[in-house]
């Protein structure tokens, strides 16, 4: 039995706590002049572990058959007991370290009581009062803003309810019930919808970088509850309303904007804002009331008698800290130090943030790792240009993501080497890249260049001279203009040669040969 103090009940206040927000100089927002917006976010991130938080059941994918990964404990059968998944604890500590939070040597689990059909036990196991970590921070690149993290807590996810209108029933799927979550609670440090969006995107990238969650909002593995209030500039903080279960950054930003306008309109008419929980209607672009303060449930928190306190040794925390993967801020600094432009770094980081995340801390291989391997022993700028401009451009044209990229590190490296050495032209290199993407061949570009006769033609070769003579004969008027001294027109004749050579002729050699033939 846990040795806890007297029973604790959840308390709700009508305004943000005193000194709850960072002291920041007010920046007037043209959308609501004279008003200040205050935003705090609770993020629920699904832990990427093969097993659930307190049972041996497998964590389910979206395509899993309903109610196939459910243990007796998940379904709340009497007499079943929880067994803590150590991998979930490890990934929770990883996340806390990445957020510069204070990992608690002792934490404990509570029962949060409420009654939904998709919560069989009638309570959720969480860490409301003794979380695994406190007092973290996350720096946002845009605006150089730091958002404080109040706490990180481990908890269970619920099942999923789906209303079937034809049968007029609600179907319950318990595959998700008991899956491990991290609830990451920020302080109310954000002052605009855009800052809130930057915060969630930065948190997604951080979770993926440490392998603790895939942060996929579209699939429901990351959900946001947003607390919003407004107040006159320089006046005390206003009454906050919570908007529940926002499943995309775009929707979250729109919801915050709509709620800000709603509260400002109320206060402008002299009507006080009532603290309540609200939902968001995407089609109408407006929030709506779910339950008022008076109707809010009393969760009746109590220590879970079946789970002893969680004690973490200092050596355990230090070992996780020592083996931490590279975090996004460190990656950005390293890439900039390699001479990459800010734009190229942002493109790589943006693509990398969408990488796949393996189970139980297995790190996914994204665009940055691909660039690191390709650029070894090569010019970094050449490597990033081929990846961000040519490869990503062609994948986007084909409506494919980087995870579907069929070009191996060896193939990309060989292609860059061929172009850098002048074995093939840049135009031929692009043709080879398109060929690999279209055919999914595993051949090296050097072999493809031979097979497709794309090896560059030498500057003094007879083929080049013949192509140039044919181009001059095909474009007599342009040739005459060049002979009269207007060398700019030679570019049009060059285009004819490049087309005839299928890109195997080097542009500088073509230009030199044409001028030699036309000016001799």
């Amino acid at each position: 039995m846990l040795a806890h103090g007297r029973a604790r009940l959840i308390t709700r206040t009508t305004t943000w706590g005193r000194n709850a927000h960072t002291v920041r100089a007010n920046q007037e927002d043209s959308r609501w002049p004279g008003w200040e917006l205050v935003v705090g976010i609770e993020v629920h991130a699904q832990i990427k572990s093969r097993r659930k938080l307190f049972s041996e059941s497998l964590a389910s994918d979206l395509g899993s058959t309903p109610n196939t990964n459910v243990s007796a404990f998940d379904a709340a059968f009497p007499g079943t007991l929880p067994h803590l998944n150590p991998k979930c604890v490890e990934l929770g500590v990883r996340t806390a370290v990445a957020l510069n939070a204070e990992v608690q040597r002792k934490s404990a689990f509570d029962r949060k009581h409420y009654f939904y059909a998709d919560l069989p036990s009638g309570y959720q196991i969480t860490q409301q009062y003794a979380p695994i970590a406190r007092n973290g921070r996350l720096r946002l690149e845009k605006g150089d803003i730091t958002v404080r993290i109040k706490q990180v807590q481990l908890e269970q996810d619920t099942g999923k309810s789906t209303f079937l209108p034809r049968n007029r029933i609600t179907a319950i799927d318990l595959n998700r019930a008991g899956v491990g979550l991290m609830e990451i609670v920020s302080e109310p440090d954000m002052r605009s919808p855009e800052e809130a969006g930057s915060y969630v995107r930065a948190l997604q990238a951080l979770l993926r970088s440490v392998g603790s969650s895939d942060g996929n909002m579209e699939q429901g593995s990351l959900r946001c509850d947003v607390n919003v209030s407004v107040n006159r500039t320089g006046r005390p903080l206003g009454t906050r309303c919570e908007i529940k279960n926002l499943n995309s950054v775009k929707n979250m930003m729109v919801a915050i904007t709509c709620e800000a306008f709603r509260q400002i309109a109320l206060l402008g008419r002299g009507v006080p804002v009532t603290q309540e929980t609200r939902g968001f209607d995407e089609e109408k672009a407006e929030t709506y009331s779910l339950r008022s303060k008076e109707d809010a449930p009393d969760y009746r928190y109590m220590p879970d008698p079946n789970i002893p306190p969680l004690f973490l040794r200092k050596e355990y925390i230090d070992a996780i800290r020592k083996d931490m993967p590279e975090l996004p801020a460190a990656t950005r600094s390293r890439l900039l130090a390699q001479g990459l432009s800010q734009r190229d770094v942002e493109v790589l980081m943006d693509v990398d943030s969408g990488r796949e995340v393996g189970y139980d801390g297995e790190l996914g291989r994204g665009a940055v790792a691909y660039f690191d391997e390709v650029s070894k022993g090569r010019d970094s700028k050449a490597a990033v240009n081929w990846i961000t401009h040519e490869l990503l451009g062609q994948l986007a044209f084909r409506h494919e993501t980087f995870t579907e990229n069929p070009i191996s590190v060896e193939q990309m490296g060989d292609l860059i080497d061929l172009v850098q050495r002048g074995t093939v032209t840049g135009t031929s290199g692009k043709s080879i890249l398109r060929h690999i993407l279209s055919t999914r061949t595993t051949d090296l570009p050097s072999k493809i260049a031979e097979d497709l006769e794309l090896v560059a033609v030498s500057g003094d070769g007879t083929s080049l001279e013949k192509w140039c003579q044919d181009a001059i004969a095909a474009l007599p008027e342009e040739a005459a203009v060049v002979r009269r001294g207007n060398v700019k027109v030679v570019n049009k004749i060059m285009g004819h040669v490049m087309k005839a050579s299928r890109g195997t002729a080097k542009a500088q050699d073509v230009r030199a040969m044409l001028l030699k033939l036309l000016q001799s």
Side-chain angles (χ1 to χ4, degrees), residues 225-504:
D225 298 339
V226 180
N227 289 288
V228 180
S229 74
V230 298
N231 58 270
R232 287 286 186 183
T233 303
R235 301 294 297 276
L237 298 176
T239 301
R240 61 188 171 98
C241 292
E242 183 180 32
I243 310 171
K244 297 287 287 186
N245 292 328
L246 298 168
N247 60 2
S248 78
V249 173
K250 180 181 177 181
N251 283 343
M252 181 189 69
M253 293 170 63
V254 174
I256 292 171
T257 304
C258 295
E259 180 60 16
F261 281 127
R262 186 190 73 86
Q263 293 186 21
I264 290 171
L266 286 174
L267 295 171
R269 298 197 304 268
V271 179
V273 174
T274 302
Q275 182 181 345
E276 59 184 348
T277 300
R278 300 180 68 84
F280 177 63
D281 189 317
E282 299 177 25
E283 294 184 1
K284 295 180 180 179
E286 63 183 24
T287 64
Y288 58 90
S289 180
L290 290 174
R291 55 182 180 265
S292 67
K293 175 190 173 186
E294 290 74 23
D295 296 328
D298 178 355
Y299 291 120
R300 294 178 295 130
Y301 283 103
M302 62 170 283
D304 193 304
N306 293 326
I307 309 175
L310 174 62
F311 291 94
L312 301 179
R313 296 190 307 274
K314 183 177 182 298
E315 295 78 12
Y316 173 82
I317 299 171
D318 290 342
I320 292 176
R321 193 184 304 276
K322 180 181 177 182
D323 294 335
M324 283 289 289
E326 186 177 53
L327 300 181
T331 301
R332 183 177 286 103
S333 298
R334 175 173 61 81
L335 294 176
L336 289 171
Q338 288 182 241
L340 273 61
S341 68
Q342 185 73 38
R343 178 192 172 279
D344 287 335
V345 171
E346 291 302 326
V347 170
L348 276 179
M349 296 286 290
D350 185 54
V351 175
D352 194 70
S353 68
R355 65 182 169 179
E356 295 292 330
V357 176
Y359 285 103
D360 294 327
E362 181 184 346
L363 298 177
R365 183 173 173 275
V368 172
Y370 186 81
F371 164 78
D372 288 339
E373 293 183 47
V374 169
S375 61
K376 282 181 182 177
R378 299 184 178 92
D379 179 62
S380 295
K381 292 183 179 179
V384 78
N385 283 339
W386 274 97
I387 294 171
T388 60
H389 296 281
E390 307 304 334
L391 176 58
L392 293 181
Q394 284 298 318
L395 288 173
F397 177 76
R398 289 167 166 77
H399 305 289
E400 296 176 339
T401 64
F402 186 78
T403 56
E404 300 170 284
N405 170 34
I407 300 181
S408 67
V409 169
E410 292 74 21
Q411 286 176 310
M412 181 58 76
D414 187 46
L415 178 59
I416 294 171
D417 292 341
L418 290 176
V419 176
Q420 292 291 94
R421 290 196 303 263
T423 305
V424 300
T425 65
T427 301
S428 295
K430 295 174 186 177
S431 297
I432 293 171
L433 185 142
R434 290 192 295 270
H435 175 79
I436 298 174
L437 290 174
S438 298
T439 63
R440 264 40 182 182
T441 179
T442 57
D443 291 341
L444 287 175
S446 50
K447 181 179 184 302
I448 296 171
E450 294 285 350
D451 294 343
L452 301 182
E453 299 180 350
L454 294 175
V455 177
V457 176
S458 60
D460 55 355
T462 56
S463 296
L464 177 60
E465 184 173 355
K466 183 177 185 306
W467 287 326
C468 290
Q469 289 173 342
D470 291 344
I472 291 171
L475 301 169
E477 294 182 6
E478 287 78 0
V481 173
V482 175
R483 287 191 179 99
R484 290 197 295 268
N486 188 351
V487 295
K488 291 182 179 179
V489 181
V490 79
N491 290 335
K492 185 173 182 180
I493 308 175
M494 285 176 62
H496 194 283
V497 176
M498 298 303 290
K499 184 177 181 180
S501 70
R502 295 169 50 242
T504 59

Side-chain angles (χ1 to χ4, degrees), residues 71-140:
S71 69
F73 176 79
D74 301 329
F77 275 52
T80 57
L81 293 172
H83 297 277
L84 181 60
N85 179 352
K87 277 296 180 181
C88 290
V89 176
E90 178 186 334
L91 296 177
V93 173
R94 265 198 208 181
T95 301
V97 171
L99 289 169
N100 299 291
E102 300 167 5
V103 179
Q104 304 298 293
R105 298 281 299 279
K106 176 185 177 182
S107 60
F109 291 92
D110 305 301
R111 290 183 178 181
K112 176 183 179 181
H113 294 82
Y114 56 97
F115 301 99
Y116 288 160
D118 53 17
L119 189 64
S121 61
Y123 61 83
Q124 177 191 35
I125 301 176
T126 183
Q127 291 188 310
Q128 176 72 13
Y129 294 102
I132 197 169
R134 299 181 187 270
N135 303 326
R137 64 186 183 277
L138 179 61
R139 182 175 173 273
L140 311 184

